[in-house]
Amino acid sequence: MSKNFYITTAISYVNGSPHLGHAYEAILTDVMARFKRLDGFNVKFLTGTDEHGQKVAKTAETNGMEPKAFCDKTAAEFEAMTETLNISNDDFIRTTQDRHYTASKAIWSAIKDNNPDDIYLSKYDGWYSVRDEAYFTESELEKGEDGNFYTPGGAPVEWVEEPCYFFRLSAYTDKLLKFYEDNPGFIVPQSRKNEIVSFVKDGLQDISISRTNFKWGVPVPDDPDHVMYVWLDALTNYITGVGYPNTDCDEYKTFWPADIHVIGKDIIRFHCVYWPAFLMSANLELPKQVFAHGFINVEGQKMSKSVGNVIAPQNLIDMFGLDQTRYLLMREVPHGQDGNFSEDHAFQRINSDLANSLGNLVQRTLSMIYKNCDAAIPNPNDFTGDDKKLLNEIYDCFPTLRKHADKMEFHRVLEGIWKIIAHANAYVDEQAPWALRKNDPERMKTVLYVLAEAIRGFAILVLPYTPEAGHKILDRLSVPEDERLFEYVSADHALSGGIIIEKPEGVFPRLEMKEEAA
Ligand code: MSP
């Protein structure tokens, strides 16, 4: 029986175009989804767009467009980004879809039916940040030089007075604390967990879950003067994606509760406090984990429109290539921490790891086989200790890589794979197959076989990060599609001698310009 795995990204606001931060989250989640598929899991991967709320409504208005028409335009950019980045999502949800209206209304009704006291009508008088789509108490705000209040993230706030429905979050303080205690892996990394636990320990206030001074949202069941608070609607996407409210359908039964919600550090409160409380109230199961990644800065600075350093994912692909960009982001950003994008460093990293280490290994090995072995994988003779050492290092590395991957520590996985690639390059230099060609052609065949088999292993191991290049290498080696799984990185599935290879072409060309300028 196959193991199931459901993973999601946050859904992006469509008030602007996709940027490097969105790309990073999509790639990180994609890498995990691909890793799990290659590890034999039945994976569902959901991503999409968050289209309601005041922020999107205002931006549409500024652009002189109806909200839905504006959303159609920007959501298309996000959907295109998933294709450009080779994201393997199984579904793309838009919160303006009918299925999502049905699910959002259903969760509201489920909360009301299961816990009638959890929703009550009242009035909100207080601060609201449209940028964050979040309510703030005055004590959480800071006064700017202009005398106005700002959120800790620097967003302006506006005073709001409106009738609204409240959710009795205050009733969930103890239940949530118990849930965190019983499920120590729910919030990752630990530093974020500490932040949330201390926030909840201070006691929770009820929150407003509807808005009345604009219309762009899902109407509240039985009271259409109200639209649902955008975060209640947005969080619900994770169950819309598996067929909610039909909790009897295969999709829901197979994939809910989700294994991991991958999100950025700025939205943990919504995912680790509000979302589990809504689900508890609606009597639905809670997700197993929320993984909060850090933020990507650019040349040491926060990305922002006012600084003018916002990077569109396509710019990086144009500069470095797609797989190179994916590799760079996964290699450079440590687990759960902020990462920095620096152009000079990117050129160095890509040239050193991809062009020089892996690219060169593949190119020189396959060229030697092509030229000296009639373009066929040679049949090896007996392996020496050195041969076995290299191959066993590859065959034995997976359990450690999996441990890192399960914690989403992909920079560690890559560090581990590249250590072995360095070993393989040292092996080429030591064995010097070009010299063996004259002195000991039989030994040359064994060395080239060992290298080709090592490359088969590397190509499978790198598939989550650099899928195009990995498949290209495996195509060269004629490895069948159904053998491109982690379990095939073993001696039992080693290459057979005699396989004809195509004329090798470089997989990772060396990037010239910037490194030389530097
Ligand atoms: N719409 C909400 C999420 C709702 S999920 C039910 C939202 N949207 S967003 O467009 O502002 O952000 C989408 C994701 O991108 C979030 O997880 C956010 O943390 C992430 N990032 C936004 N900027 C980022 C960086 N500079 N770096 C890394 N991730 C960043 O929040």
Side-chain angles (χ1 to χ4, degrees):
M1 211 175 71
S2 76
K3 307 157 279 180
N4 302 312
F5 188 81
Y6 179 29
I7 189 164
T8 64
T9 63
I11 47 172
S12 304
Y13 288 126
V14 290
N15 61 305
S17 299
H19 58 60
L20 185 54
H22 299 121
Y24 169 69
E25 185 172 297
I27 294 170
L28 176 65
T29 314
D30 182 56
V31 163
M32 188 60 160
R34 287 178 184 270
F35 192 98
K36 287 287 177 185
R37 287 191 200 105
L38 291 160
D39 199 13
F41 284 74
N42 172 31
V43 172
K44 175 164 175 97
F45 170 14
L46 178 71
T47 187
T49 43
D50 185 357
E51 307 189 10
H52 293 128
Q54 210 174 353
K55 171 153 83 172
V56 172
K58 276 190 170 177
T59 318
E61 200 182 315
T62 316
N63 283 272
M65 291 176 81
E66 283 301 312
K68 180 62 169 55
F70 177 73
C71 289
D72 287 346
K73 182 171 139 288
T74 338
E77 289 184 40
F78 278 90
E79 203 161 353
M81 178 190 80
T82 63
E83 270 156 44
T84 315
L85 296 173
N86 199 2
I87 302 299
S88 63
N89 55 301
D90 302 288
D91 192 356
F92 189 95
I93 188 162
R94 296 184 55 190
T95 55
T96 46
Q97 290 165 341
D98 287 346
R99 59 172 172 163
H100 184 68
Y101 273 65
T102 307
S104 302
K105 289 179 185 168
I107 196 172
W108 182 289
S109 303
I111 293 173
K112 249 177 101 177
D113 293 347
N114 285 296
N115 288 289
D117 289 345
D118 277 359
I119 296 186
Y120 60 91
L121 192 58
S122 183
K123 186 174 175 235
Y124 179 74
D125 288 344
W127 296 107
Y128 192 78
S129 157
V130 176
R131 196 194 289 172
D132 300 297
E133 294 284 14
Y135 300 93
F136 285 85
T137 59
E138 203 154 298
S139 61
E140 289 172 308
L141 301 172
E142 290 154 16
K143 213 167 205 165
E145 282 170 8
D146 57 4
N148 294 324
F149 283 115
Y150 290 89
T151 68
V157 285
E158 58 188 45
W159 185 258
V160 170
E161 291 185 12
E162 60 181 347
C164 67
Y165 286 97
F166 275 82
F167 174 74
R168 204 173 297 281
L169 188 63
S170 56
Y172 288 85
T173 305
D174 293 339
K175 289 177 195 155
L176 286 169
L177 289 172
K178 178 160 187 331
F179 175 72
Y180 305 145
E181 207 172 306
D182 294 347
N183 299 275
F186 177 62
I187 308 171
V188 177
Q190 182 70 29
S191 55
R192 301 290 163 212
K193 179 178 172 182
N194 300 343
E195 206 178 308
I196 288 296
V197 170
S198 103
F199 171 74
V200 176
K201 272 192 177 152
D202 281 348
L204 295 169
Q205 309 277 322
D206 294 349
I207 51 162
S208 161
I209 49 164
S210 75
R211 306 287 319 261
T212 38
N213 58 13
F214 66 92
K215 290 276 158 238
W216 183 234
V218 180
V220 165
D222 304 324
D223 197 349
D225 288 344
H226 293 246
V227 290
M228 286 169 63
Y229 172 41
V230 65
W231 271 102
L232 172 52
D233 142 12
L235 289 161
T236 303
N237 93 84
Y238 301 130
I239 50 177
T240 308
V242 286
Y244 185 79
N246 185 359
T247 52
D248 286 329
C249 69
D250 281 351
E251 192 82 344
Y252 190 91
K253 286 198 289 201
T254 307
F255 291 113
W256 191 258
D259 290 270
I260 311 184
H261 292 319
V262 178
I263 58 155
K265 64 178 183 180
D266 55 328
I267 53 174
I268 45 173
R269 198 178 287 182
F270 302 99
H271 283 81
C272 303
V273 182
Y274 297 2
W275 181 225
F278 294 149
L279 289 167
M280 281 178 189
S281 180
N283 201 18
L284 296 168
E285 278 185 273
L286 272 53
K288 293 178 205 154
Q289 184 173 102
V290 175
F291 177 80
H293 61 75
F295 263 41
I296 307 286
N297 299 322
V298 172
E299 308 289 352
Q301 264 189 309
K302 196 175 158 184
M303 229 187 325
S304 93
K305 276 190 199 143
S306 51
V307 178
N309 61 351
V310 178
I311 297 188
Q314 188 63 51
N315 291 354
L316 289 193
I317 296 174
D318 293 344
M319 206 179 322
F320 305 120
L322 171 58
D323 274 356
Q324 289 86 338
T325 300
R326 292 174 56 105
Y327 175 82
L328 178 76
L329 291 172
M330 292 304 101
R331 180 66 185 82
E332 287 297 319
V333 185
H335 168 79
Q337 292 173 38
D338 288 350
N340 183 43
F341 169 76
S342 136
E343 201 173 304
D344 287 348
H345 184 69
F347 274 97
Q348 284 164 23
R349 168 65 81 187
I350 290 169
N351 273 343
S352 138
D353 291 6
L354 296 181
N356 296 352
S357 285
L358 180 57
N360 210 10
L361 176 73
V362 174
Q363 187 60 16
R364 51 182 182 162
T365 302
L366 298 189
S367 302
M368 279 187 278
I369 293 176
Y370 192 78
K371 278 194 211 134
N372 304 319
C373 309
D374 299 326
I377 303 288
N379 281 306
N381 298 294
D382 288 346
F383 289 152
T384 65
D386 286 341
D387 303 341
K388 286 186 205 152
K389 196 167 162 221
L390 175 62
L391 291 179
N392 287 337
E393 205 179 343
I394 298 167
Y395 298 146
D396 296 343
C397 71
F398 189 65
T400 309
L401 300 186
R402 183 198 268 143
K403 257 191 220 156
H404 294 315
D406 278 343
K407 291 193 258 169
M408 304 215 34
E409 294 180 338
F410 294 115
H411 66 294
R412 290 241 159 85
V413 178
L414 292 172
E415 208 173 52
I417 300 172
W418 257 258
K419 245 190 209 153
I420 314 178
I421 294 176
H423 177 184
N425 274 313
Y427 170 91
V428 184
D429 294 339
E430 282 155 20
Q431 303 293 330
W434 49 88
L436 293 170
R437 189 162 62 97
K438 280 201 187 121
N439 311 341
D440 189 351
E442 282 306 305
R443 176 65 194 147
M444 176 197 75
K445 284 185 192 164
T446 307
V447 170
L448 291 179
Y449 174 87
V450 168
L451 286 168
E453 171 59 2
I455 288 169
R456 182 186 70 90
F458 294 139
I460 294 176
L461 293 173
V462 301
L463 282 174
Y465 320 89
T466 58
E468 266 182 16
H471 282 299
K472 210 160 149 187
I473 299 169
L474 292 167
D475 288 345
R476 297 272 141 75
L477 297 172
S478 297
V479 175
E481 280 289 334
D482 60 355
E483 292 188 10
R484 300 177 183 192
L485 294 169
F486 291 141
E487 64 172 296
Y488 285 84
V489 183
S490 95
D492 298 344
H493 303 282
L495 283 172
S496 310
I499 292 171
I500 300 293
I501 61 161
E502 289 167 42
K503 190 172 183 344
E505 276 166 35
V507 269
F508 293 116
R510 200 180 151 73
L511 305 170
E512 292 301 340
M513 51 200 234
K514 288 288 163 169
E515 200 180 43
E516 262 152 39

